[in-house]
Amino acid sequence: PGEFLDVAQESRLITGVSAVVLREACQQAAHWHREGWPVGVSVNVSASEIGSSLFMTTLKRALADTGLPPPSLCLEVTESVLFQASDAGQNHIQELKEIGVKLALDDFGTAFASLDYVRRFPIDRIKIDHSFIAGITNNPRDQAIAAGIIALADAIPVEVVAEGIETAEHLDRIRTTGCRLAQGFYLGTPQPAELIGSLLGKPEGSASPSA
């Protein structure tokens, strides 16, 4: 994915790719909502997209056409994306917040001025980079950093997600820090959309099976 996205970015095809991904994500999430699973969906975006009026138009149209509630869509950006954001991009971020779309700061702690971004931008979610989680079971510094990020998020307050949960030990350790959200291959691998329903359990509002 890293190579593909770099090529798409350099060739300026990223806008078309993102439009397809964004619409498909909104359409699938809206379908789950109609089926009784009111789950959210996250989409990664680049600096060029955040600063693009076309991207904003595409996003609004995708929400309107699919009927997905804006708070059910979360855009994930890295610190470098916020660093590169133009004035238009910063205005778009504020507009997204007004619409109700959520914003997640991905790979938190791996770049500079992290706290400044949390202060300046309407971040809804912080995602602890997997590099800190990888050593959380045996590296006191990684443990301290993860615990500090979680305490910061709780104090702001914003949601915090631990990325890269690959083992039961990772999960146990992150639980002891008070982190309530996590993702990683230990918890689940990528799955086709049609199989996600079986993982979500019984839809909301469905009748209980009779005895």
Side-chain angles (χ1 to χ4, degrees), residues 44-45 76-84 104-107 117:
N44 294 88
V45 295
E76 296 192 1
V77 299
T78 61
E79 295 168 25
S80 60
V81 167
L82 295 183
F83 178 75
Q84 299 172 43
L105 186 53
D106 201 8
D107 301 337
Y117 294 137

Side-chain angles (χ1 to χ4, degrees), residues 22 54-63 73 75 96 101:
L22 189 61
L54 177 59
F55 174 77
M56 292 296 291
T57 300
T58 300
L59 182 148
K60 292 177 184 177
R61 183 175 297 130
L63 290 172
L73 174 63
L75 300 183
L96 289 168
V101 174

Side-chain angles (χ1 to χ4, degrees), residues 2 12 29 43 46 50 58 67 71 93 105 111 134 141-142 148 151 157-158 168 182 186 209:
R12 299 185 180 181
V43 177
S46 66
I50 284 291
T58 300
I93 289 173
L105 186 53
R141 291 192 175 187
D142 285 346
V158 296
Y186 177 74

Side-chain angles (χ1 to χ4, degrees), residues 186-207:
Y186 177 74
L187 299 171
T189 57
Q191 299 286 338
E194 58 269 20
L195 297 182
I196 297 297
S198 62
L199 301 177
L200 294 175
K202 187 173 64 175
E204 286 191 1
S206 60

Side-chain angles (χ1 to χ4, degrees), residues 88-203:
Q90 296 184 34
N91 291 335
H92 289 162
I93 289 173
Q94 295 296 334
E95 184 179 355
L96 289 168
K97 185 66 175 181
E98 294 170 4
I99 293 172
V101 174
K102 292 184 177 180
L103 191 68
L105 186 53
D106 201 8
D107 301 337
F108 186 81
T110 57
F112 49 87
S114 301
L115 298 181
D116 186 46
Y117 294 137
V118 174
R119 178 178 62 86
R120 289 170 50 203
F121 293 98
I123 302 296
D124 297 286
R125 182 179 300 160
I126 291 173
K127 303 187 72 176
I128 306 173
D129 188 70
H130 64 86
S131 61
F132 299 116
I133 304 303
I136 199 172
T137 58
N138 54 20
N139 188 323
R141 291 192 175 187
D142 285 346
Q143 294 170 14
I145 290 172
I149 294 174
I150 293 165
L152 170 68
D154 286 343
I156 292 176
V158 296
E159 291 181 341
V160 60
V161 181
E163 296 184 293
I165 301 298
E166 306 294 341
T167 67
E169 290 76 16
H170 287 159
L171 184 60
D172 289 341
R173 178 69 66 166
I174 204 67
R175 277 175 169 164
T176 64
T177 65
C179 186
R180 293 179 292 275
L181 299 172
Q183 69 180 68
F185 281 6
Y186 177 74
L187 299 171
T189 57
Q191 299 286 338
E194 58 269 20
L195 297 182
I196 297 297
S198 62
L199 301 177
L200 294 175
K202 187 173 64 175

